[in-house]
Amino acid sequence: MSIILTLLRKEYLIFKCDRAAFALTFLVPALMIYIFGMVFGINRADTGPRGIPLAVVNECDNPAALRLVDVLRAEKGFRIITTTTPDGGAARDLEAGDLKPLMRDNVFRFAIVIPSNLIETSTVGVNLKLLSNPRNEIETQTVNGLLQKCIFSNVPQLLGQSMQASMKSMLGGAGKDKLNRNIAGAISESFDINETEVLRELEAGNFGFDRITSRAEGAADDGKTKKGNPLGELIKIENEQVVGKDVKSPAAARNVGAWAVMFLLFSVSHLAITLFEEKRAGLLQRLMSSSVRPSHVLWSKFLFGVLLGLVQLMALFCAGRLLYGLDIVSHFGQLLLVSAAAAGACAGFGMLIASIARTSAAAGFLTTLLVMLMSCLGGAWVPVSFMPEVVQKISVFTIPYWVIEGFMQVFWEGGSLARLAPTVGVLCGITLAAMSVAWWRFKRGTIFEP
């Protein structure tokens, strides 16, 4: 027993002296819990999505349409867009014809058109049109739910006005007024209510639909379908998918790229850590004693990382094709370009980590921490639009954000080379910046010293 206790004390002392192991065991999990809590909004009063861009075009002059716009604007889950600045000129109101080109440019992914025939006159009902770019399934379902909630719970007068318009269409203006007076008289006599007040409410379209909409809102919150919604048949929303409707495997197009980038970061970053192992084994010193210079070693590491990352990505996408039918053949050239840029950025990130860390253990610690952090913030795990607005702004500074954006442009939007140029340019800029800092750090460091 005493031998076991002695060995147990030895294990404790080794663990105590290994600061990287200590940090990975206690500090990193605690830090990640804090960051994940911030991303998922734990202990936040409102944990729903924030600021999903929603374009609104109002073609109706009915006051209820303006109220619907105000209701959508008050919903925290949306950031309402009603204007555009074509060619950098003066801002003007959005028109229906502006929506599809802007959605293809990913300025926003959802738009609602309030048509001039918002209120049905031939039958009872309300018309709306929803345009979508459902590149993220969770985000799309959330937007649909928020729209139903806003419409069902805040615009009941639309249905009443539709009934009044339908009555006028069938009976004429005089006939509608007579019917309203008869109904108001009957209600006043039956329930001892002021007839003038009842008549005013009827003519305004207030038929008590707000009570029905309360049930509808409850049904929407419970995730029930249109079948369980009493107003589902009356509010007609015409849905049109603007981008991605021809994608053969939508789920694979949405997710495979996001999964691949996280594994790419881990594998390529680990390659740079081998610098420390080569120094410990004396390989670097033997190379330095020959005609090899540090720049040769660093560039060979970087280029091997790029090639390894490129091969890994293509292998993962081939697996996506075999397993899920991901269409890589139609977009092979664009996919190769984005994959090369992504591999370069990840390899540069790995060299940067190796230049900052003093030991392989510290490099491993930094890699684990930063890769998980960037994957979370960059949208590899959950849609960026579900994060707090502050986190959404931070996410654009991560490599996964731009890699995922590039893969979505390839698989979902079928983007041309010109369309991909800005995203590829950002990834190349990240590569250049990371390698510049890494080179500067290596020149001041001791890794190539005997």
Side-chain angles (χ1 to χ4, degrees):
M1 186 66 182
S2 61
I3 296 176
I4 293 177
L5 292 175
T6 302
L7 293 175
L8 184 62
R9 182 171 180 274
K10 182 264 297 179
E11 295 293 338
Y12 167 73
L13 292 175
I14 293 174
F15 177 77
K16 183 182 176 184
C17 296
D18 190 343
R19 289 183 293 182
F22 183 85
L24 284 171
T25 305
F26 297 107
L27 297 183
V28 172
L31 180 60
M32 297 306 292
I33 287 173
Y34 170 73
I35 294 172
F36 292 161
M38 186 175 64
V39 169
F40 292 108
I42 294 176
N43 286 339
R44 202 174 70 194
D46 183 5
T47 57
R50 293 293 186 95
I52 299 176
L54 174 68
V56 177
V57 173
N58 182 11
E59 298 176 336
C60 182
D61 56 2
N62 191 302
L66 294 176
R67 183 183 172 190
L68 175 58
V69 175
D70 291 338
V71 168
L72 293 171
R73 203 186 298 276
E75 170 57 50
K76 295 179 181 178
F78 293 136
R79 177 170 60 84
I80 301 302
I81 300 172
T82 57
T83 60
T84 183
T85 53
D87 301 325
R92 62 170 176 78
D93 290 340
L94 272 173
E95 298 175 356
D98 300 324
L99 298 179
K100 291 182 180 179
L102 291 172
M103 294 180 75
R104 293 191 183 98
D105 290 339
N106 204 30
V107 176
F108 46 79
R109 291 194 283 275
F110 302 94
I112 188 165
V113 178
I114 304 174
S116 57
N117 64 336
L118 171 67
I119 298 173
E120 287 276 6
T121 56
S122 57
T123 60
V124 178
V126 175
N127 296 310
L128 292 169
K129 184 174 184 179
L130 175 64
L131 305 178
S132 65
N133 173 10
R135 58 185 289 178
N136 188 292
E137 184 65 20
I138 300 174
E139 182 185 65
T140 302
Q141 292 180 3
T142 301
V143 168
N144 288 333
L146 289 175
L147 282 174
Q148 288 185 25
K149 176 184 174 184
C150 291
I151 294 168
F152 290 160
S153 62
N154 293 282
V155 197
Q157 291 85 353
L158 286 172
L159 293 175
Q161 291 181 17
S162 176
M163 290 184 65
Q164 288 288 337
S166 180
M167 289 163 53
K168 185 177 180 180
S169 175
M170 290 186 292
L171 305 175
K176 182 204 71 168
D177 294 340
K178 181 180 179 180
L179 180 59
N180 280 336
R181 286 194 297 273
N182 291 337
I183 294 174
I187 293 175
S188 175
E189 182 178 352
S190 301
F191 298 96
D192 192 21
I193 304 175
N194 184 281
E195 182 177 344
T196 304
E197 182 178 341
V198 174
L199 181 60
R200 184 172 61 249
E201 292 294 329
L202 289 175
E203 290 176 342
N206 295 330
F207 285 85
F209 283 115
D210 51 336
R211 299 177 183 176
I212 303 177
T213 54
S214 298
R215 294 173 54 195
E217 183 180 3
D221 290 341
D222 292 341
K224 294 180 179 178
T225 61
K226 187 177 178 179
K227 183 178 179 180
N229 190 326
L231 296 182
E233 299 294 334
L234 299 177
I235 299 178
K236 302 176 181 66
I237 301 178
E238 178 187 352
N239 287 282
E240 181 178 355
Q241 181 174 343
V242 177
V243 182
K245 54 187 174 185
D246 296 325
V247 175
K248 295 179 181 177
S249 180
R254 293 184 183 109
N255 297 310
V256 173
W259 299 335
V261 65
M262 186 171 65
F263 295 112
L264 175 68
L265 276 167
F266 272 120
S267 60
V268 176
S269 299
H270 177 74
L271 184 66
I273 298 174
T274 58
L275 271 173
F276 297 98
E277 298 171 355
E278 292 176 2
K279 180 176 182 179
R280 189 184 307 129
L283 179 59
L284 282 183
Q285 286 70 27
R286 290 198 293 274
L287 289 173
M288 291 302 102
S289 63
S290 64
S291 60
V292 176
R293 290 181 295 177
S295 59
H296 295 152
V297 176
L298 295 179
W299 280 112
S300 64
K301 285 278 183 189
F302 171 75
L303 291 176
F304 184 73
V306 173
L307 292 174
L308 177 65
L310 186 58
V311 172
Q312 183 191 25
L313 282 176
M314 299 313 293
L316 292 175
F317 285 125
C318 286
R321 176 174 177 77
L322 292 174
L323 295 173
Y324 308 115
L326 184 64
D327 182 16
I328 62 174
V329 177
S330 303
H331 316 291
F332 187 77
Q334 296 93 322
L335 178 61
L336 195 64
L337 176 65
V338 175
S339 297
C346 293
F349 167 76
M351 300 303 292
L352 179 63
I353 292 295
S355 70
I356 294 173
R358 294 184 177 181
T359 64
S360 60
F365 162 71
L366 277 176
T367 299
T368 302
L369 174 63
L370 293 178
V371 170
M372 294 184 69
L373 183 61
M374 289 197 299
S375 300
C376 179
L377 296 179
W381 297 354
V382 294
V384 173
S385 56
F386 276 57
M387 304 175 189
E389 292 185 43
V390 174
V391 181
Q392 292 183 31
K393 294 177 181 176
I394 296 174
S395 66
V396 300
F397 295 99
T398 63
I399 294 174
Y401 177 89
W402 291 103
V403 176
I404 294 170
E405 187 68 21
F407 288 145
M408 289 303 294
Q409 289 172 348
V410 171
F411 290 120
W412 189 256
E413 301 171 10
S416 62
L417 294 179
R419 177 84 173 87
L420 294 172
T423 303
V424 172
V426 171
L427 291 172
C428 291
I430 292 173
T431 306
L432 182 62
M435 288 301 294
S436 298
V437 175
W439 174 244
W440 175 72
R441 289 283 304 174
F442 278 126
K443 286 177 67 176
R444 290 172 170 267
T446 60
I447 194 165
F448 292 104
E449 294 179 357

